[in-house]
Amino acid sequence: MTDGAVTKAARVLVAADKFKGSLTAVQVAERVTAGLRQVVPGLDIETLPVADGGDGTVAAAVAAGFERREVRVTGPLGEPVTAAFALRGTTAVVEMAEASGLQLLPPGVFAPLTATTYGSGELLRAALDAGATAIVFGVGGSATTDGGAGMLAALGADFRDADGEPVGPGGGALARLASADLSGIDPRLADVDLVLASDVDNPLTGPKGCAAVYGPQKGAGPDDVAALDAALAHYARVLEEAIGPKAAGLAAAPGAGGAGGIGYGALLLGARFRPGIELMLDVLGFAPALARATLVITGEGSLDAQTLHGKAPAGVAAAARAAGKDVVAVCGRLALAPEALGAAGIRRAYPLTDLEPDPAKSIPNAGPLLERVAARVARDFLVEDAGAGGTVR
């Protein structure tokens, strides 16, 4: 405990993402808060769980004051699931992983060729029904590689094969696509500000496309990846015949390959692309919270090379550095050199593996370990001369 005089008003902003597989972003904020206050009781702490558009985005919005709304939609395997979106006034935050995410599949089950985004379209429609005129569409963590065809079908698009029958679900079925008609798309979307929030900028197809880069994560073997990439390329060509050259241009646009190509579907709906963390920080009210802080703590499960490419901690650190605020990070594991952390605006990182190197032990005990790590942060950044009575910075 620290009982010295307060020499400077300290206000900590905890703006961390989830530790995937162990703690939600809300739980991370709770554990960090508890650890800090073990060392500095009564410390002024503001928590703002963050997300980069992938799974956990709705939870972050709800933690920031949005209302949680639930609806029954079609899951990635075609079965009904309960999905949530967040609403505040006429602004909705919709997370495709809620309806079409990998976490909705049974353990060990994958469906790379047949998983559908139909439920994501139903979730967007539910947001429209709730009166949303601005929709943040967070994509990531998908079980699907259907180019958003399922989502578009749920919103009124018509996709037929050469026999005039509706094409089946999933990206594999797009190889049989013969015609596309988007004229039935829900007209309310024309008056909605739809923003695609994604932490990836991949195109739809090719060596950097969604099938090649992310298909293996969804159970796609080499033959499946080749089949999906060819089917998606064919899908884009059929859409080009239906709506003109715009379809080809959007297939190559940044973000088109997000979440198995649902980004492409969103761009076809008129969405504008913004990096997920940049957009979410705006939506969650990060700027005013940052202005009130003297120290920012961010983090995620693994601080690695991917973190530097649009993940939540990098976005938080960039904004904090621009505002002249110190930033430290907490994480499950650290795979970045101090130089890379410094370049990202992070003064120091505190991995759980410093306390428990064995992931088999650290992951199930992430909460208590994170409290101990947060106590270290407090001693290093909030307490002066702790060994000699201690004053709080």
mmCIF file with all atom_site columns, all heavy atoms in Angstrom, residues 19 21-23 31 331-332 351-353 355-373:
data_model
loop_
_atom_site.group_PDB
_atom_site.id
_atom_site.type_symbol
_atom_site.label_atom_id
_atom_site.label_alt_id
_atom_site.label_comp_id
_atom_site.label_asym_id
_atom_site.label_entity_id
_atom_site.label_seq_id
_atom_site.pdbx_PDB_ins_code
_atom_site.Cartn_x
_atom_site.Cartn_y
_atom_site.Cartn_z
_atom_site.occupancy
_atom_site.B_iso_or_equiv
_atom_site.pdbx_formal_charge
_atom_site.auth_seq_id
_atom_site.auth_comp_id
_atom_site.auth_asym_id
_atom_site.auth_atom_id
_atom_site.pdbx_PDB_model_num
ATOM 1   N N   . PHE A 1 19  ? -8.203  -10.028 -23.985 1.00 0.00 ? 19  PHE A N   1
ATOM 2   C CA  . PHE A 1 19  ? -7.154  -11.043 -24.046 1.00 0.00 ? 19  PHE A CA  1
ATOM 3   C C   . PHE A 1 19  ? -7.852  -12.287 -24.601 1.00 0.00 ? 19  PHE A C   1
ATOM 4   O O   . PHE A 1 19  ? -8.493  -13.023 -23.852 1.00 0.00 ? 19  PHE A O   1
ATOM 5   C CB  . PHE A 1 19  ? -6.575  -11.335 -22.663 1.00 0.00 ? 19  PHE A CB  1
ATOM 6   C CG  . PHE A 1 19  ? -5.580  -10.322 -22.163 1.00 0.00 ? 19  PHE A CG  1
ATOM 7   C CD1 . PHE A 1 19  ? -5.616  -8.999  -22.599 1.00 0.00 ? 19  PHE A CD1 1
ATOM 8   C CD2 . PHE A 1 19  ? -4.616  -10.677 -21.242 1.00 0.00 ? 19  PHE A CD2 1
ATOM 9   C CE1 . PHE A 1 19  ? -4.700  -8.067  -22.134 1.00 0.00 ? 19  PHE A CE1 1
ATOM 10  C CE2 . PHE A 1 19  ? -3.694  -9.762  -20.764 1.00 0.00 ? 19  PHE A CE2 1
ATOM 11  C CZ  . PHE A 1 19  ? -3.730  -8.457  -21.212 1.00 0.00 ? 19  PHE A CZ  1
ATOM 12  N N   . GLY A 1 21  ? -9.472  -15.514 -25.598 1.00 0.00 ? 21  GLY A N   1
ATOM 13  C CA  . GLY A 1 21  ? -9.413  -16.839 -25.019 1.00 0.00 ? 21  GLY A CA  1
ATOM 14  C C   . GLY A 1 21  ? -9.332  -16.855 -23.510 1.00 0.00 ? 21  GLY A C   1
ATOM 15  O O   . GLY A 1 21  ? -9.391  -17.926 -22.904 1.00 0.00 ? 21  GLY A O   1
ATOM 16  N N   . SER A 1 22  ? -9.225  -15.660 -22.892 1.00 0.00 ? 22  SER A N   1
ATOM 17  C CA  . SER A 1 22  ? -9.136  -15.647 -21.432 1.00 0.00 ? 22  SER A CA  1
ATOM 18  C C   . SER A 1 22  ? -9.943  -14.531 -20.782 1.00 0.00 ? 22  SER A C   1
ATOM 19  O O   . SER A 1 22  ? -10.687 -14.784 -19.833 1.00 0.00 ? 22  SER A O   1
ATOM 20  C CB  . SER A 1 22  ? -7.675  -15.576 -20.979 1.00 0.00 ? 22  SER A CB  1
ATOM 21  O OG  . SER A 1 22  ? -7.023  -14.452 -21.528 1.00 0.00 ? 22  SER A OG  1
ATOM 22  N N   . LEU A 1 23  ? -9.840  -13.300 -21.260 1.00 0.00 ? 23  LEU A N   1
ATOM 23  C CA  . LEU A 1 23  ? -10.527 -12.175 -20.627 1.00 0.00 ? 23  LEU A CA  1
ATOM 24  C C   . LEU A 1 23  ? -11.158 -11.276 -21.684 1.00 0.00 ? 23  LEU A C   1
ATOM 25  O O   . LEU A 1 23  ? -10.533 -10.980 -22.702 1.00 0.00 ? 23  LEU A O   1
ATOM 26  C CB  . LEU A 1 23  ? -9.537  -11.336 -19.805 1.00 0.00 ? 23  LEU A CB  1
ATOM 27  C CG  . LEU A 1 23  ? -8.830  -12.011 -18.627 1.00 0.00 ? 23  LEU A CG  1
ATOM 28  C CD1 . LEU A 1 23  ? -7.731  -11.097 -18.096 1.00 0.00 ? 23  LEU A CD1 1
ATOM 29  C CD2 . LEU A 1 23  ? -9.816  -12.353 -17.523 1.00 0.00 ? 23  LEU A CD2 1
ATOM 30  N N   . ARG A 1 31  ? -9.682  -5.982  -13.968 1.00 0.00 ? 31  ARG A N   1
ATOM 31  C CA  . ARG A 1 31  ? -8.501  -6.539  -13.308 1.00 0.00 ? 31  ARG A CA  1
ATOM 32  C C   . ARG A 1 31  ? -7.387  -5.506  -13.197 1.00 0.00 ? 31  ARG A C   1
ATOM 33  O O   . ARG A 1 31  ? -6.686  -5.433  -12.172 1.00 0.00 ? 31  ARG A O   1
ATOM 34  C CB  . ARG A 1 31  ? -8.019  -7.771  -14.073 1.00 0.00 ? 31  ARG A CB  1
ATOM 35  C CG  . ARG A 1 31  ? -8.981  -8.952  -14.000 1.00 0.00 ? 31  ARG A CG  1
ATOM 36  C CD  . ARG A 1 31  ? -9.018  -9.562  -12.601 1.00 0.00 ? 31  ARG A CD  1
ATOM 37  N NE  . ARG A 1 31  ? -9.755  -10.827 -12.605 1.00 0.00 ? 31  ARG A NE  1
ATOM 38  C CZ  . ARG A 1 31  ? -9.679  -11.730 -11.643 1.00 0.00 ? 31  ARG A CZ  1
ATOM 39  N NH1 . ARG A 1 31  ? -8.903  -11.511 -10.588 1.00 0.00 ? 31  ARG A NH1 1
ATOM 40  N NH2 . ARG A 1 31  ? -10.375 -12.853 -11.709 1.00 0.00 ? 31  ARG A NH2 1
ATOM 41  N N   . CYS A 1 331 ? -0.239  -7.282  -21.503 1.00 0.00 ? 331 CYS A N   1
ATOM 42  C CA  . CYS A 1 331 ? -0.504  -8.293  -22.524 1.00 0.00 ? 331 CYS A CA  1
ATOM 43  C C   . CYS A 1 331 ? -0.282  -9.682  -21.939 1.00 0.00 ? 331 CYS A C   1
ATOM 44  O O   . CYS A 1 331 ? 0.355   -9.841  -20.889 1.00 0.00 ? 331 CYS A O   1
ATOM 45  C CB  . CYS A 1 331 ? 0.388   -8.088  -23.745 1.00 0.00 ? 331 CYS A CB  1
ATOM 46  S SG  . CYS A 1 331 ? 2.165   -8.092  -23.381 1.00 0.00 ? 331 CYS A SG  1
ATOM 47  N N   . GLY A 1 332 ? -0.800  -10.672 -22.640 1.00 0.00 ? 332 GLY A N   1
ATOM 48  C CA  . GLY A 1 332 ? -0.543  -12.041 -22.239 1.00 0.00 ? 332 GLY A CA  1
ATOM 49  C C   . GLY A 1 332 ? 0.867   -12.453 -22.592 1.00 0.00 ? 332 GLY A C   1
ATOM 50  O O   . GLY A 1 332 ? 1.588   -13.030 -21.779 1.00 0.00 ? 332 GLY A O   1
ATOM 51  N N   . PRO A 1 351 ? 4.076   -8.168  -19.889 1.00 0.00 ? 351 PRO A N   1
ATOM 52  C CA  . PRO A 1 351 ? 3.411   -9.430  -20.243 1.00 0.00 ? 351 PRO A CA  1
ATOM 53  C C   . PRO A 1 351 ? 3.177   -10.322 -19.023 1.00 0.00 ? 351 PRO A C   1
ATOM 54  O O   . PRO A 1 351 ? 3.972   -10.334 -18.072 1.00 0.00 ? 351 PRO A O   1
ATOM 55  C CB  . PRO A 1 351 ? 4.394   -10.085 -21.207 1.00 0.00 ? 351 PRO A CB  1
ATOM 56  C CG  . PRO A 1 351 ? 5.737   -9.591  -20.764 1.00 0.00 ? 351 PRO A CG  1
ATOM 57  C CD  . PRO A 1 351 ? 5.512   -8.193  -20.227 1.00 0.00 ? 351 PRO A CD  1
ATOM 58  N N   . LEU A 1 352 ? 2.082   -11.079 -19.079 1.00 0.00 ? 352 LEU A N   1
ATOM 59  C CA  . LEU A 1 352 ? 1.800   -12.030 -18.013 1.00 0.00 ? 352 LEU A CA  1
ATOM 60  C C   . LEU A 1 352 ? 2.870   -13.107 -17.939 1.00 0.00 ? 352 LEU A C   1
ATOM 61  O O   . LEU A 1 352 ? 3.108   -13.691 -16.878 1.00 0.00 ? 352 LEU A O   1
ATOM 62  C CB  . LEU A 1 352 ? 0.428   -12.692 -18.235 1.00 0.00 ? 352 LEU A CB  1
ATOM 63  C CG  . LEU A 1 352 ? -0.799  -11.784 -18.337 1.00 0.00 ? 352 LEU A CG  1
ATOM 64  C CD1 . LEU A 1 352 ? -2.065  -12.625 -18.319 1.00 0.00 ? 352 LEU A CD1 1
ATOM 65  C CD2 . LEU A 1 352 ? -0.828  -10.737 -17.241 1.00 0.00 ? 352 LEU A CD2 1
ATOM 66  N N   . THR A 1 353 ? 3.521   -13.370 -19.069 1.00 0.00 ? 353 THR A N   1
ATOM 67  C CA  . THR A 1 353 ? 4.543   -14.416 -19.094 1.00 0.00 ? 353 THR A CA  1
ATOM 68  C C   . THR A 1 353 ? 5.753   -14.078 -18.236 1.00 0.00 ? 353 THR A C   1
ATOM 69  O O   . THR A 1 353 ? 6.543   -14.963 -17.911 1.00 0.00 ? 353 THR A O   1
ATOM 70  C CB  . THR A 1 353 ? 4.999   -14.706 -20.538 1.00 0.00 ? 353 THR A CB  1
ATOM 71  O OG1 . THR A 1 353 ? 5.346   -13.468 -21.172 1.00 0.00 ? 353 THR A OG1 1
ATOM 72  C CG2 . THR A 1 353 ? 3.899   -15.396 -21.322 1.00 0.00 ? 353 THR A CG2 1
ATOM 73  N N   . LEU A 1 355 ? 5.447   -13.307 -15.239 1.00 0.00 ? 355 LEU A N   1
ATOM 74  C CA  . LEU A 1 355 ? 5.082   -13.911 -13.960 1.00 0.00 ? 355 LEU A CA  1
ATOM 75  C C   . LEU A 1 355 ? 4.868   -15.412 -14.073 1.00 0.00 ? 355 LEU A C   1
ATOM 76  O O   . LEU A 1 355 ? 5.144   -16.157 -13.135 1.00 0.00 ? 355 LEU A O   1
ATOM 77  C CB  . LEU A 1 355 ? 3.808   -13.254 -13.422 1.00 0.00 ? 355 LEU A CB  1
ATOM 78  C CG  . LEU A 1 355 ? 3.859   -11.748 -13.176 1.00 0.00 ? 355 LEU A CG  1
ATOM 79  C CD1 . LEU A 1 355 ? 2.516   -11.246 -12.692 1.00 0.00 ? 355 LEU A CD1 1
ATOM 80  C CD2 . LEU A 1 355 ? 4.949   -11.425 -12.157 1.00 0.00 ? 355 LEU A CD2 1
ATOM 81  N N   . GLU A 1 356 ? 4.315   -15.847 -15.223 1.00 0.00 ? 356 GLU A N   1
ATOM 82  C CA  . GLU A 1 356 ? 4.050   -17.266 -15.440 1.00 0.00 ? 356 GLU A CA  1
ATOM 83  C C   . GLU A 1 356 ? 4.352   -17.607 -16.895 1.00 0.00 ? 356 GLU A C   1
ATOM 84  O O   . GLU A 1 356 ? 3.533   -17.381 -17.779 1.00 0.00 ? 356 GLU A O   1
ATOM 85  C CB  . GLU A 1 356 ? 2.588   -17.604 -15.108 1.00 0.00 ? 356 GLU A CB  1
ATOM 86  C CG  . GLU A 1 356 ? 2.179   -19.047 -15.387 1.00 0.00 ? 356 GLU A CG  1
ATOM 87  C CD  . GLU A 1 356 ? 3.172   -20.046 -14.818 1.00 0.00 ? 356 GLU A CD  1
ATOM 88  O OE1 . GLU A 1 356 ? 3.166   -20.237 -13.598 1.00 0.00 ? 356 GLU A OE1 1
ATOM 89  O OE2 . GLU A 1 356 ? 3.968   -20.615 -15.598 1.00 0.00 ? 356 GLU A OE2 1
ATOM 90  N N   . PRO A 1 357 ? 5.549   -18.149 -17.166 1.00 0.00 ? 357 PRO A N   1
ATOM 91  C CA  . PRO A 1 357 ? 5.964   -18.407 -18.554 1.00 0.00 ? 357 PRO A CA  1
ATOM 92  C C   . PRO A 1 357 ? 5.159   -19.496 -19.257 1.00 0.00 ? 357 PRO A C   1
ATOM 93  O O   . PRO A 1 357 ? 5.119   -19.517 -20.483 1.00 0.00 ? 357 PRO A O   1
ATOM 94  C CB  . PRO A 1 357 ? 7.429   -18.833 -18.422 1.00 0.00 ? 357 PRO A CB  1
ATOM 95  C CG  . PRO A 1 357 ? 7.854   -18.356 -17.062 1.00 0.00 ? 357 PRO A CG  1
ATOM 96  C CD  . PRO A 1 357 ? 6.633   -18.414 -16.216 1.00 0.00 ? 357 PRO A CD  1
ATOM 97  N N   . ASP A 1 358 ? 4.530   -20.382 -18.509 1.00 0.00 ? 358 ASP A N   1
ATOM 98  C CA  . ASP A 1 358 ? 3.811   -21.500 -19.105 1.00 0.00 ? 358 ASP A CA  1
ATOM 99  C C   . ASP A 1 358 ? 2.406   -21.065 -19.524 1.00 0.00 ? 358 ASP A C   1
ATOM 100 O O   . ASP A 1 358 ? 1.566   -20.784 -18.665 1.00 0.00 ? 358 ASP A O   1
ATOM 101 C CB  . ASP A 1 358 ? 3.718   -22.651 -18.099 1.00 0.00 ? 358 ASP A CB  1
ATOM 102 C CG  . ASP A 1 358 ? 3.057   -23.894 -18.691 1.00 0.00 ? 358 ASP A CG  1
ATOM 103 O OD1 . ASP A 1 358 ? 2.634   -23.851 -19.863 1.00 0.00 ? 358 ASP A OD1 1
ATOM 104 O OD2 . ASP A 1 358 ? 2.974   -24.904 -17.966 1.00 0.00 ? 358 ASP A OD2 1
ATOM 105 N N   . PRO A 1 359 ? 2.111   -20.990 -20.846 1.00 0.00 ? 359 PRO A N   1
ATOM 106 C CA  . PRO A 1 359 ? 0.776   -20.559 -21.291 1.00 0.00 ? 359 PRO A CA  1
ATOM 107 C C   . PRO A 1 359 ? -0.345  -21.433 -20.737 1.00 0.00 ? 359 PRO A C   1
ATOM 108 O O   . PRO A 1 359 ? -1.455  -20.945 -20.505 1.00 0.00 ? 359 PRO A O   1
ATOM 109 C CB  . PRO A 1 359 ? 0.859   -20.677 -22.820 1.00 0.00 ? 359 PRO A CB  1
ATOM 110 C CG  . PRO A 1 359 ? 2.316   -20.598 -23.129 1.00 0.00 ? 359 PRO A CG  1
ATOM 111 C CD  . PRO A 1 359 ? 3.014   -21.254 -21.974 1.00 0.00 ? 359 PRO A CD  1
ATOM 112 N N   . ALA A 1 360 ? -0.069  -22.716 -20.523 1.00 0.00 ? 360 ALA A N   1
ATOM 113 C CA  . ALA A 1 360 ? -1.094  -23.610 -19.980 1.00 0.00 ? 360 ALA A CA  1
ATOM 114 C C   . ALA A 1 360 ? -1.527  -23.193 -18.581 1.00 0.00 ? 360 ALA A C   1
ATOM 115 O O   . ALA A 1 360 ? -2.633  -23.518 -18.141 1.00 0.00 ? 360 ALA A O   1
ATOM 116 C CB  . ALA A 1 360 ? -0.578  -25.047 -19.964 1.00 0.00 ? 360 ALA A CB  1
ATOM 117 N N   . LYS A 1 361 ? -0.672  -22.449 -17.899 1.00 0.00 ? 361 LYS A N   1
ATOM 118 C CA  . LYS A 1 361 ? -1.013  -21.947 -16.568 1.00 0.00 ? 361 LYS A CA  1
ATOM 119 C C   . LYS A 1 361 ? -1.426  -20.478 -16.599 1.00 0.00 ? 361 LYS A C   1
ATOM 120 O O   . LYS A 1 361 ? -2.301  -20.055 -15.841 1.00 0.00 ? 361 LYS A O   1
ATOM 121 C CB  . LYS A 1 361 ? 0.182   -22.124 -15.622 1.00 0.00 ? 361 LYS A CB  1
ATOM 122 C CG  . LYS A 1 361 ? 0.545   -23.573 -15.354 1.00 0.00 ? 361 LYS A CG  1
ATOM 123 C CD  . LYS A 1 361 ? 1.755   -23.669 -14.426 1.00 0.00 ? 361 LYS A CD  1
ATOM 124 C CE  . LYS A 1 361 ? 2.142   -25.128 -14.159 1.00 0.00 ? 361 LYS A CE  1
ATOM 125 N NZ  . LYS A 1 361 ? 3.352   -25.232 -13.294 1.00 0.00 ? 361 LYS A NZ  1
ATOM 126 N N   . SER A 1 362 ? -0.785  -19.707 -17.474 1.00 0.00 ? 362 SER A N   1
ATOM 127 C CA  . SER A 1 362 ? -1.067  -18.266 -17.480 1.00 0.00 ? 362 SER A CA  1
ATOM 128 C C   . SER A 1 362 ? -2.446  -17.954 -18.065 1.00 0.00 ? 362 SER A C   1
ATOM 129 O O   . SER A 1 362 ? -3.129  -17.055 -17.577 1.00 0.00 ? 362 SER A O   1
ATOM 130 C CB  . SER A 1 362 ? 0.014   -17.513 -18.252 1.00 0.00 ? 362 SER A CB  1
ATOM 131 O OG  . SER A 1 362 ? 0.005   -17.847 -19.622 1.00 0.00 ? 362 SER A OG  1
ATOM 132 N N   . ILE A 1 363 ? -2.869  -18.688 -19.089 1.00 0.00 ? 363 ILE A N   1
ATOM 133 C CA  . ILE A 1 363 ? -4.160  -18.383 -19.726 1.00 0.00 ? 363 ILE A CA  1
ATOM 134 C C   . ILE A 1 363 ? -5.327  -18.586 -18.761 1.00 0.00 ? 363 ILE A C   1
ATOM 135 O O   . ILE A 1 363 ? -6.154  -17.688 -18.594 1.00 0.00 ? 363 ILE A O   1
ATOM 136 C CB  . ILE A 1 363 ? -4.329  -19.196 -21.029 1.00 0.00 ? 363 ILE A CB  1
ATOM 137 C CG1 . ILE A 1 363 ? -3.340  -18.687 -22.084 1.00 0.00 ? 363 ILE A CG1 1
ATOM 138 C CG2 . ILE A 1 363 ? -5.761  -19.103 -21.554 1.00 0.00 ? 363 ILE A CG2 1
ATOM 139 C CD1 . ILE A 1 363 ? -3.313  -19.509 -23.357 1.00 0.00 ? 363 ILE A CD1 1
ATOM 140 N N   . PRO A 1 364 ? -5.432  -19.737 -18.065 1.00 0.00 ? 364 PRO A N   1
ATOM 141 C CA  . PRO A 1 364 ? -6.567  -19.890 -17.146 1.00 0.00 ? 364 PRO A CA  1
ATOM 142 C C   . PRO A 1 364 ? -6.475  -19.005 -15.907 1.00 0.00 ? 364 PRO A C   1
ATOM 143 O O   . PRO A 1 364 ? -7.470  -18.793 -15.222 1.00 0.00 ? 364 PRO A O   1
ATOM 144 C CB  . PRO A 1 364 ? -6.528  -21.377 -16.771 1.00 0.00 ? 364 PRO A CB  1
ATOM 145 C CG  . PRO A 1 364 ? -5.137  -21.819 -17.045 1.00 0.00 ? 364 PRO A CG  1
ATOM 146 C CD  . PRO A 1 364 ? -4.662  -20.992 -18.195 1.00 0.00 ? 364 PRO A CD  1
ATOM 147 N N   . ASN A 1 365 ? -5.280  -18.490 -15.633 1.00 0.00 ? 365 ASN A N   1
ATOM 148 C CA  . ASN A 1 365 ? -5.102  -17.622 -14.461 1.00 0.00 ? 365 ASN A CA  1
ATOM 149 C C   . ASN A 1 365 ? -4.826  -16.181 -14.867 1.00 0.00 ? 365 ASN A C   1
ATOM 150 O O   . ASN A 1 365 ? -4.194  -15.425 -14.107 1.00 0.00 ? 365 ASN A O   1
ATOM 151 C CB  . ASN A 1 365 ? -3.953  -18.147 -13.601 1.00 0.00 ? 365 ASN A CB  1
ATOM 152 C CG  . ASN A 1 365 ? -4.274  -19.488 -12.970 1.00 0.00 ? 365 ASN A CG  1
ATOM 153 O OD1 . ASN A 1 365 ? -5.150  -19.575 -12.124 1.00 0.00 ? 365 ASN A OD1 1
ATOM 154 N ND2 . ASN A 1 365 ? -3.587  -20.543 -13.392 1.00 0.00 ? 365 ASN A ND2 1
ATOM 155 N N   . ALA A 1 366 ? -5.298  -15.805 -16.049 1.00 0.00 ? 366 ALA A N   1
ATOM 156 C CA  . ALA A 1 366 ? -4.982  -14.480 -16.576 1.00 0.00 ? 366 ALA A CA  1
ATOM 157 C C   . ALA A 1 366 ? -5.470  -13.359 -15.676 1.00 0.00 ? 366 ALA A C   1
ATOM 158 O O   . ALA A 1 366 ? -4.785  -12.339 -15.527 1.00 0.00 ? 366 ALA A O   1
ATOM 159 C CB  . ALA A 1 366 ? -5.573  -14.327 -17.981 1.00 0.00 ? 366 ALA A CB  1
ATOM 160 N N   . GLY A 1 367 ? -6.638  -13.514 -15.058 1.00 0.00 ? 367 GLY A N   1
ATOM 161 C CA  . GLY A 1 367 ? -7.180  -12.446 -14.221 1.00 0.00 ? 367 GLY A CA  1
ATOM 162 C C   . GLY A 1 367 ? -6.294  -12.097 -13.041 1.00 0.00 ? 367 GLY A C   1
ATOM 163 O O   . GLY A 1 367 ? -5.846  -10.946 -12.895 1.00 0.00 ? 367 GLY A O   1
ATOM 164 N N   . PRO A 1 368 ? -5.989  -13.062 -12.171 1.00 0.00 ? 368 PRO A N   1
ATOM 165 C CA  . PRO A 1 368 ? -5.100  -12.754 -11.045 1.00 0.00 ? 368 PRO A CA  1
ATOM 166 C C   . PRO A 1 368 ? -3.707  -12.291 -11.475 1.00 0.00 ? 368 PRO A C   1
ATOM 167 O O   . PRO A 1 368 ? -3.134  -11.397 -10.853 1.00 0.00 ? 368 PRO A O   1
ATOM 168 C CB  . PRO A 1 368 ? -5.034  -14.092 -10.289 1.00 0.00 ? 368 PRO A CB  1
ATOM 169 C CG  . PRO A 1 368 ? -6.284  -14.811 -10.663 1.00 0.00 ? 368 PRO A CG  1
ATOM 170 C CD  . PRO A 1 368 ? -6.570  -14.413 -12.080 1.00 0.00 ? 368 PRO A CD  1
ATOM 171 N N   . LEU A 1 369 ? -3.187  -12.888 -12.534 1.00 0.00 ? 369 LEU A N   1
ATOM 172 C CA  . LEU A 1 369 ? -1.873  -12.466 -13.025 1.00 0.00 ? 369 LEU A CA  1
ATOM 173 C C   . LEU A 1 369 ? -1.910  -11.020 -13.505 1.00 0.00 ? 369 LEU A C   1
ATOM 174 O O   . LEU A 1 369 ? -0.978  -10.241 -13.276 1.00 0.00 ? 369 LEU A O   1
ATOM 175 C CB  . LEU A 1 369 ? -1.410  -13.382 -14.161 1.00 0.00 ? 369 LEU A CB  1
ATOM 176 C CG  . LEU A 1 369 ? -1.007  -14.807 -13.764 1.00 0.00 ? 369 LEU A CG  1
ATOM 177 C CD1 . LEU A 1 369 ? -0.789  -15.657 -15.011 1.00 0.00 ? 369 LEU A CD1 1
ATOM 178 C CD2 . LEU A 1 369 ? 0.252   -14.791 -12.900 1.00 0.00 ? 369 LEU A CD2 1
ATOM 179 N N   . LEU A 1 370 ? -3.002  -10.642 -14.172 1.00 0.00 ? 370 LEU A N   1
ATOM 180 C CA  . LEU A 1 370 ? -3.112  -9.279  -14.677 1.00 0.00 ? 370 LEU A CA  1
ATOM 181 C C   . LEU A 1 370 ? -3.177  -8.276  -13.531 1.00 0.00 ? 370 LEU A C   1
ATOM 182 O O   . LEU A 1 370 ? -2.628  -7.172  -13.633 1.00 0.00 ? 370 LEU A O   1
ATOM 183 C CB  . LEU A 1 370 ? -4.336  -9.153  -15.584 1.00 0.00 ? 370 LEU A CB  1
ATOM 184 C CG  . LEU A 1 370 ? -4.526  -7.814  -16.291 1.00 0.00 ? 370 LEU A CG  1
ATOM 185 C CD1 . LEU A 1 370 ? -3.288  -7.426  -17.087 1.00 0.00 ? 370 LEU A CD1 1
ATOM 186 C CD2 . LEU A 1 370 ? -5.748  -7.874  -17.209 1.00 0.00 ? 370 LEU A CD2 1
ATOM 187 N N   . GLU A 1 371 ? -3.826  -8.640  -12.430 1.00 0.00 ? 371 GLU A N   1
ATOM 188 C CA  . GLU A 1 371 ? -3.841  -7.748  -11.271 1.00 0.00 ? 371 GLU A CA  1
ATOM 189 C C   . GLU A 1 371 ? -2.420  -7.522  -10.752 1.00 0.00 ? 371 GLU A C   1
ATOM 190 O O   . GLU A 1 371 ? -2.050  -6.395  -10.400 1.00 0.00 ? 371 GLU A O   1
ATOM 191 C CB  . GLU A 1 371 ? -4.727  -8.336  -10.167 1.00 0.00 ? 371 GLU A CB  1
ATOM 192 C CG  . GLU A 1 371 ? -6.212  -8.277  -10.482 1.00 0.00 ? 371 GLU A CG  1
ATOM 193 C CD  . GLU A 1 371 ? -7.066  -8.619  -9.276  1.00 0.00 ? 371 GLU A CD  1
ATOM 194 O OE1 . GLU A 1 371 ? -6.582  -8.471  -8.134  1.00 0.00 ? 371 GLU A OE1 1
ATOM 195 O OE2 . GLU A 1 371 ? -8.222  -9.041  -9.476  1.00 0.00 ? 371 GLU A OE2 1
ATOM 196 N N   . ARG A 1 372 ? -1.631  -8.585  -10.708 1.00 0.00 ? 372 ARG A N   1
ATOM 197 C CA  . ARG A 1 372 ? -0.251  -8.450  -10.237 1.00 0.00 ? 372 ARG A CA  1
ATOM 198 C C   . ARG A 1 372 ? 0.577   -7.592  -11.199 1.00 0.00 ? 372 ARG A C   1
ATOM 199 O O   . ARG A 1 372 ? 1.396   -6.764  -10.769 1.00 0.00 ? 372 ARG A O   1
ATOM 200 C CB  . ARG A 1 372 ? 0.378   -9.835  -10.070 1.00 0.00 ? 372 ARG A CB  1
ATOM 201 C CG  . ARG A 1 372 ? -0.206  -10.642 -8.930  1.00 0.00 ? 372 ARG A CG  1
ATOM 202 C CD  . ARG A 1 372 ? 0.282   -12.091 -8.964  1.00 0.00 ? 372 ARG A CD  1
ATOM 203 N NE  . ARG A 1 372 ? 1.747   -12.175 -8.890  1.00 0.00 ? 372 ARG A NE  1
ATOM 204 C CZ  . ARG A 1 372 ? 2.424   -13.299 -9.109  1.00 0.00 ? 372 ARG A CZ  1
ATOM 205 N NH1 . ARG A 1 372 ? 1.760   -14.416 -9.433  1.00 0.00 ? 372 ARG A NH1 1
ATOM 206 N NH2 . ARG A 1 372 ? 3.742   -13.307 -9.021  1.00 0.00 ? 372 ARG A NH2 1
ATOM 207 N N   . VAL A 1 373 ? 0.350   -7.769  -12.500 1.00 0.00 ? 373 VAL A N   1
ATOM 208 C CA  . VAL A 1 373 ? 1.045   -6.956  -13.493 1.00 0.00 ? 373 VAL A CA  1
ATOM 209 C C   . VAL A 1 373 ? 0.655   -5.485  -13.349 1.00 0.00 ? 373 VAL A C   1
ATOM 210 O O   . VAL A 1 373 ? 1.501   -4.586  -13.415 1.00 0.00 ? 373 VAL A O   1
ATOM 211 C CB  . VAL A 1 373 ? 0.719   -7.481  -14.909 1.00 0.00 ? 373 VAL A CB  1
ATOM 212 C CG1 . VAL A 1 373 ? 0.992   -6.420  -15.961 1.00 0.00 ? 373 VAL A CG1 1
ATOM 213 C CG2 . VAL A 1 373 ? 1.536   -8.733  -15.220 1.00 0.00 ? 373 VAL A CG2 1
#
